[in-house]
Amino acid sequence: MTREIRLPCYGITIRLDRGSTDKEPGSGTITSDLKGPARTVADRIYNAAIDGLESLILAHACAGLDVESPAYVEGIETAVEAIANHL
């Protein structure tokens, strides 16, 4: 049974197809409003950094971490701000 998690930032939606067990990790997909068209090299670098962040969020959700907790969501917001400020 698929579980959908909608986070209150950046349109992040996680769909978990299978939860993690002792024998195998969970699986799923993630979408967000964070990436835009890659018109420039800077856009491509930003989108790549966001891909990495989204992958980490999905991995945490698949592993069973509480990605809906206020502290976790604040961490996402801080990471996105840091990526934007760095690039």
Side-chain angles (χ1 to χ4, degrees):
M1 182 160 121
T2 301
R3 176 177 173 222
E4 186 172 277
I5 301 168
R6 292 178 185 244
L7 299 182
C9 60
Y10 309 113
I12 297 172
T13 301
I14 302 164
R15 287 177 189 82
L16 295 176
D17 301 324
R18 181 184 69 231
S20 84
T21 66
D22 291 339
K23 297 185 181 192
E24 59 185 13
S27 67
T29 59
I30 186 168
T31 58
S32 77
D33 299 333
L34 285 166
K35 293 184 288 186
R39 295 184 184 116
T40 66
V41 171
D43 291 342
R44 288 191 291 277
I45 293 169
Y46 172 83
N47 285 347
I50 294 300
D51 280 339
L53 178 60
E54 288 177 345
S55 294
L56 183 64
I57 295 166
L58 177 59
H60 285 161
C62 287
L65 271 69
D66 182 7
V67 297
E68 296 177 276
S69 75
Y72 194 92
V73 171
E74 183 178 341
I76 293 170
E77 293 169 341
T78 300
V80 169
E81 184 178 324
I83 289 168
N85 287 338
H86 183 72
L87 302 173

